[in-house]
Amino acid sequence: RGLLDVGDRVVIGHRVEIVSHLIRPARGNLVLLVRRVQIGAGSFIGAGSVLLPGCTVAPDSAVPMQTTLRPG
């Protein structure tokens, strides 16, 4: 059980950031957010894109270059 699930035949462009955890402020404290990132089979992730914790790319999808994907 890892934090990154990549399907078959996925193409990932250069300088793509895949982030499965980050630290964010909440009510005067810092909270560690850890979520799985899933990339479906046959997908293309464009150059310079950022995939944040908890996001899912559907199978056979194309993410345009320099896109930031958030969960939901």
Side-chain angles (χ1 to χ4, degrees):
R1 287 181 27 178
L3 293 174
L4 177 61
D5 181 16
V6 180
D8 295 333
R9 302 176 328 277
V10 170
V11 176
I12 298 176
H14 70 285
R15 295 192 179 186
V16 169
E17 295 181 42
I18 302 173
V19 183
S20 60
H21 67 282
L22 55 85
I23 298 173
R24 64 172 21 166
R27 297 185 214 142
N29 292 317
L30 296 177
V31 175
L32 176 64
L33 177 67
V34 180
R35 300 283 186 269
R36 176 186 299 242
V37 175
Q38 297 177 321
I39 304 172
S43 296
F44 171 82
I45 310 298
S49 294
V50 179
L51 281 61
L52 294 176
C55 74
T56 299
V57 177
D60 299 313
S61 297
V63 176
M65 64 184 286
Q66 297 184 344
T67 300
T68 299
L69 287 183
R70 293 175 173 81

